[in-house]
Amino acid sequence: MLTEEQNKLLTEVEGEALMGRYMRERFWIPCARVDSLVADGAPKLVRLLGKNYVAFRATDGRVGMFDEACPHRGVSLTLARNEDCALRCIFHSWKFDVSGRAVEVPSEGERSASFAQKVKLNHYPTFEGGGLLWVWLGDGAPPPRPPLPFLDLAPEQVWISRTLSACNWLQGVEGTLDSVHVGTLHQSWIAKVRDSKRNETIGHTLNVPPRYEVAETPYGLRAAALRRLNEDQQYVRVTEYVMPFISLVPGSMSDREGSMFISVPMDNQNHMLFWGFWKEDALHEPLNERGLRTDERDLDHYASFKGDRENAWGQDRAAMADGHFTGFLDCLLQEDVVVQASMGRIVDRTREQLCASDVAVVRARRRLLNELAMFERDEQGIAPRDPELAVVRPIDMVSGAGTGWRELLAH
């Protein structure tokens, strides 16, 4: 249980909120799917930490990212023409190149060139990796890229989706650290994957609730969910939490594949969830993903749903009567998005009644609060700037019942 003040510290990201400043000044932030940015295509609205930005891909393939508002009169640059490696505002035809430099101000006539040199439009560094566009919103030089296993993979080895989620970012993160819910909330979908033989181990989550052990790491937390299968064997499922908003979940008996959950704050009450798969040692066909949905999905609105609290977010009670556990039939991820939204825009953590299986959630909150305190004192916390930090990989395995999971990871 948190105090009201602690809950605000962890959840509020807008303006000069401490968590927002921490994210802005310490981390690269993923903000869009790379494939959603098309050369000379429509500019994309990006909302991060309570502010609006615009991202676009220029004629030559480069990406620009600016404040959304044209510096002239504040018209949205999502309306701009994207051509000739620049955005041109449709109101007065001011033109800005990929670096954010004003190159034409037609309303000034003969003074266009000299006046353009005085125009300031905030431009933000970006890089493309793992199917995502990452942006640096902080002051000064950006840090090294995060230690993620999929950033340098070929496009064929990564599959990524985006969902707009109507709740605070921390609800998204905490859902990824809770392995217990996999075998309850997702049981109908997991049984389907198990029966299809597409994943060797995920079916073990249906057998028995896990015992949790958590260890701190230079980048965040490592959460091990341990399930005893019989007298001789245990199922070990280790999730890597790369603070503040990234969780890496293991694939099937390998540390060279897995799924990513990235809960990026749009503002205090909404976040973007980037969810996908990667596979390092082969070209990746998202077979598991096909088994986790019933129809084709819009990759920029993957787990959207119809309805709200008034109609139980579109839950299908007839399907529940026929045996589906939750009644959300479109895709597995929809179950996560709905239960998080049902908690309210910002869940009141002062009223929770936590139990032993919530240890990873509790430890993550404690670590985040400690990091915020260190940031406020201008002390170095976790090491996002350490270029020597090894790439982080989650793993699951079936091992001897008496073998410690830390020992297994060491090998």
Side-chain angles (χ1 to χ4, degrees):
M1 184 186 301
L2 296 178
T3 67
E4 182 177 353
E5 181 60 29
Q6 288 172 327
N7 200 35
K8 287 183 177 181
L9 278 173
L10 292 177
T11 58
E12 293 184 357
V13 297
E14 298 177 22
E16 289 304 302
L18 186 59
M19 180 61 79
R21 289 193 288 119
Y22 172 67
M23 292 180 174
R24 189 169 61 240
E25 297 294 337
R26 289 286 176 89
F27 301 97
W28 286 99
I29 302 176
C31 61
R33 290 191 318 112
V34 164
D35 288 346
S36 72
L37 299 171
V38 179
D40 288 344
K44 296 291 184 181
L45 175 67
V46 176
R47 185 165 174 79
L48 297 171
L49 308 179
K51 288 187 63 177
N52 290 340
Y53 305 89
V54 62
F56 70 102
R57 190 177 298 281
T59 312
D60 60 6
R62 291 178 296 159
V63 171
M65 187 156 171
F66 312 147
D67 289 342
E68 180 201 6
C70 177
H72 180 205
R73 298 271 295 280
V75 169
S76 174
L77 289 175
T78 63
L79 301 172
R81 298 180 63 87
N82 180 10
E83 57 194 9
D84 191 25
C85 289
L87 290 188
R88 186 183 292 276
C89 181
I90 63 172
F91 197 18
H92 295 95
S93 208
W94 288 25
K95 182 179 179 181
F96 304 92
D97 68 15
V98 175
S99 71
R101 182 174 63 94
V103 292
E104 290 183 19
V105 184
S107 57
E108 289 300 299
E110 294 181 355
R111 297 177 59 244
S112 174
S114 60
F115 186 87
Q117 294 178 6
K118 304 174 185 178
V119 176
K120 180 181 180 182
L121 175 62
N122 291 328
H123 163 265
Y124 302 92
T126 63
F127 78 86
E128 298 178 50
L132 294 171
L133 179 70
W134 302 73
V135 63
W136 169 246
L137 299 177
D139 296 326
R145 303 187 310 170
L148 304 175
F150 51 85
L151 287 187
D152 295 317
L153 295 182
E156 298 85 357
Q157 293 172 281
V158 182
W159 178 93
I160 192 77
S161 69
R162 185 193 74 152
T163 295
L164 301 181
S165 190
C167 66
N168 183 261
W169 74 281
L170 191 58
Q171 282 153 244
V173 167
E174 292 179 348
T176 67
L177 297 175
D178 171 13
S179 186
V180 175
H181 88 274
V182 176
T184 52
L185 178 67
H186 301 316
Q187 60 184 267
S188 295
W189 290 102
I190 296 302
K192 182 180 177 182
V193 172
R194 176 198 61 195
D195 296 343
S196 71
K197 310 296 184 184
R198 288 173 173 163
N199 186 300
E200 296 181 46
T201 56
I202 193 64
H204 295 316
T205 62
L206 302 175
N207 297 335
V208 63
R211 175 176 59 85
Y212 266 113
E213 294 185 8
V214 179
E216 293 197 358
T217 64
Y219 47 83
L221 292 177
R222 181 174 283 151
L226 312 173
R227 291 174 169 90
R228 189 71 172 260
L229 302 180
N230 51 50
E231 291 186 1
D232 301 319
Q233 291 182 309
Q234 65 177 340
Y235 173 47
V236 180
R237 181 178 172 87
V238 180
T239 295
E240 298 282 0
Y241 175 38
V242 182
M243 291 176 61
F245 34 63
I246 303 170
S247 291
L248 306 179
V249 177
S252 179
M253 299 289 283
S254 170
D255 66 349
R256 300 292 165 166
E257 64 178 287
S259 56
M260 72 288 278
F261 294 79
I262 310 178
S263 301
V264 179
M266 298 171 66
D267 48 43
N268 290 347
Q269 298 191 349
N270 301 276
H271 73 273
M272 284 185 287
L273 172 60
F274 294 107
W275 172 68
F277 298 88
W278 80 90
K279 191 168 185 178
E280 296 181 55
D281 53 8
L283 295 181
H284 184 56
E285 294 185 24
L287 297 175
N288 283 348
E289 186 273 331
R290 294 193 199 117
L292 300 177
R293 57 175 166 83
T294 57
D295 56 11
E296 293 299 319
R297 310 298 297 170
D298 179 343
L299 291 184
D300 270 320
H301 300 276
Y302 185 86
S304 60
F305 53 87
K306 297 177 180 178
D308 52 26
R309 193 176 300 275
E310 289 297 319
N311 73 339
W313 296 273
Q315 188 179 44
D316 188 335
R317 285 280 167 175
M320 296 174 75
D322 287 340
H324 194 280
F325 185 71
T326 67
F328 291 101
L329 306 181
D330 291 345
C331 62
L332 176 145
L333 192 65
Q334 191 178 66
E335 295 175 329
D336 288 309
V337 173
V338 166
V339 297
Q340 291 166 20
S342 76
M343 299 173 185
R345 293 286 185 159
I346 303 177
V347 69
D348 183 358
R349 292 176 176 81
T350 69
R351 303 178 64 183
E352 294 174 322
Q353 300 181 49
L354 302 181
C355 61
S357 64
D358 297 311
V359 60
V361 171
V362 172
R363 290 283 295 276
R365 293 174 184 176
R366 185 186 307 163
R367 184 77 188 272
L368 283 168
L369 287 169
N370 288 340
E371 290 294 321
L372 289 179
M374 295 178 70
F375 174 72
E376 198 166 28
R377 297 192 299 266
D378 198 28
E379 297 176 5
Q380 181 67 55
I382 63 173
R385 300 175 187 271
D386 184 357
E388 302 302 321
L389 191 63
V391 169
V392 177
R393 293 183 174 91
I395 191 169
D396 70 345
M397 66 192 85
V398 174
S399 70
T403 307
W405 65 273
R406 292 175 178 83
E407 178 183 343
L408 292 169
L409 292 184
H411 296 292

